[in-house]
Amino acid sequence: MRQRRKVFLFLMFTCLLVGCDKKAEQADLKATEASTAVYDQASADAFLAEAEADLAQLGQFSAHAAWLAATYINMDSQFVESRANKEFTLKAVQYAMQVKNWDGVELSEDARRKMDALRAGITFPSPNDEALAAELSDIGSKMQAMYGEGKYCRNDDECFTLMEMSDTLATSSDPELMKEFWEGWRKISPPMRELYERQAAIANAGAQDLGFENLSVMWRSNYDMSPDEFVVDMEKQWQKIKPLYEALHCHVRAKLNEVYGDEVVPPAGKIPAHLLGNMWAQTWENIYPKVKPDNSEKSYNITDLIAQKGLTEMDMVRTGEAFFSSLGFDPLPETFYERSQFTKPRDREVVCHASAWDLDDKDDLRIKMCIQRNEEDFYTIHHELGHNYYQRAYKHQPMLFRGSANDGFHEASGDTISLSITPRYLKEIGLLEEEPPASEDLGYLMKQALEKIAFIPWGMLVDKWRWQVFNGEIKPEDYNKGWWALREQYQGVAAPVARSEDDFDPGAKYHIPGNTPYARYFLAFIQQFQFHRALCETVGFEGPLHRCTIYGNKDAGAKLKAMMEMGASRPWQEAMQALTGQPDLDASAMVDYFAPVKEWLDEQNAERSCGW
Ligand code: X8Z
Ligand code: ZN
């Protein structure tokens, strides 16, 4: 009886959507059909076709509204974005709630996979309630704008943007100034605390309405394994990388101690988080000059090469595109160059955090960045373009399969290309005059480790915090305490100034107010080394993996593209198998890549007492 009433409501709802100027007997006929509705393959196919068409259309509108809100922050763009997002979320939730009608029904693999995607694929689900959906959407738009507009003002007429302060953290050796900026940036987030609490409560209720225990379980349900198995797999990979991270931590702490002295960097314990070259201490490559091997004068850095060659921001993007073209990917459409945001506009507020967009599931691809002419953004451009080429590769898939094999794959594709930005490649494209001698390899690897290895514990803890918030282990009154417990435990870093529950430090990282899950980056940082190893094998490279570049190799490009074209249509393990020949996530590719630097770090650390 309950089920029948629901079906009837669904048909009325559909009727509302398509217009109700039908004849009475048609309505009668539909009512009769509804009362005899069967949940089988045919009805599943019809339902999925309708959901896909409907959501694709609404999604396109939302995407344009979101672009507007991110590239021109004002109350009107937020209003439009919030409304569009509310309508999309409500519709997605309404479809997701119907999935259970086919529970236990034997369906084709594709249909079952689509049903699962429909049910678990909403990042912040609201309950099926206009007011709550509107509130959830408003909170999302508001927090994103708060982050985008965020500034630290030293006094009435001296304010600094995140970009400016990040530059200082990347290059300065003045611990007091860095501490001021570290603390100053975190003044943007206390006003987000209450909003976040409310957002988490509404979305948790939404997840429960969809049959999940909480939003943590829902987020972890998208990996073709059980939510608990996913946590176990992450932990397993972390254990493989941990010795490398601990060795790096030990060496970096010792070197920073030499630079700053015992007062600023104690020789034992946690590293003060403001001295690692990045606002969140998430990657440490910017402090390479302070911690590099003594006998390795890494003879180039890309920031200098960009300046020497006078590359503009646009040139940097074209260089990225040329790499993909060399692999056999079609050039980007002209609209990419017309509609992307490459540099920070002078006259309006925007969200500078880099992102890649697909506005119409066809050709309207764009990136949104505030490019700075430096090495970090050169890599980020390749990261973002990886998203765009992936989006284009799966555009022929049905709507619910238009995504990556799992979200880590999306993040890993551009980074895989970045691993091919070797000295040999830079020489080949004329950026570097001479390839450095093999004696420079250690410096190169150390720099890579400062970026890739340093990231891993951070990549793990951001969502560990959110999972604990969603499942109630971290209560709102302990948000900051819970955050720092994880940062200290996994990263071995400490806040340089006292923190309390008057602060809300998670909100000072884009992905928290920006509602972007983060475990994907943990996966990506591991997967990219698996992809790189496999593609280097395809090109027939023999030698250490850090010297391999796949630039110009169409076979490697075809292999990458074939994997991308699968979209989300098959379990990610199959996509992994197709590209790498192995079905699992496996950090051993990463560990192997860094073996020489691990050996060197162990020698350096031989007389030191490591750990924190
Ligand atoms: O957010 C990003 C990309 C956009 S998907 C720039 N990344 C993470 C971050 O910045 O925190 C890339 C690496 C990790
Ligand atoms: Zn990304």
Side-chain angles (χ1 to χ4, degrees), residues 358-425:
D358 175 5
L359 279 285
D360 66 354
D361 293 327
K362 286 192 208 81
D363 283 315
D364 193 351
L365 303 168
R366 310 178 194 174
I367 61 173
K368 179 187 66 57
M369 287 184 69
C370 298
I371 298 176
Q372 291 178 284
R373 295 168 57 225
N374 62 30
E375 180 165 307
E376 193 174 335
D377 277 1
F378 188 64
Y379 287 128
T380 303
I381 288 167
H382 291 75
H383 174 94
E384 299 308 334
L385 291 182
H387 285 307
N388 283 149
Y389 285 100
Y390 211 144
Q391 287 158 343
R392 191 162 63 180
Y394 58 59
K395 73 175 176 183
H396 299 295
Q397 290 285 351
M399 187 259 174
L400 285 165
F401 291 157
R402 276 181 224 142
S404 48
N406 68 36
D407 52 6
F409 280 62
H410 230 304
E411 301 301 338
S413 55
D415 286 5
T416 302
I417 303 304
S418 288
L419 289 178
S420 275
I421 302 180
T422 58
R424 175 162 305 171
Y425 161 72

Side-chain angles (χ1 to χ4, degrees), residues 282 353-354 380 383-384 387 411 455 509 511 518 521 525:
Q282 68 181 53
H353 190 86
T380 303
H383 174 94
E384 299 308 334
H387 285 307
E411 301 301 338
F455 182 84
K509 173 65 193 168
H511 302 69
Y518 212 83
Y521 303 109
F525 272 59

Side-chain angles (χ1 to χ4, degrees), residues 47 58 68 73 81 102 128 144 149 155 165 179 233 240 318 355 374 376 397 413 462 502 532 538-539 559 571 587 609:
F47 164 73
L58 275 173
L68 203 56
I73 302 176
E81 183 203 31
W102 285 271
N128 185 12
Q144 155 125 305
E149 291 175 323
N155 51 46
M165 292 187 285
K179 188 154 78 179
D233 197 20
K240 290 189 207 170
R318 294 261 184 213
S355 51
N374 62 30
E376 193 174 335
Q397 290 285 351
S413 55
V462 173
D502 289 336
H532 180 66
T538 303
V539 309
K559 211 158 179 196
S609 139

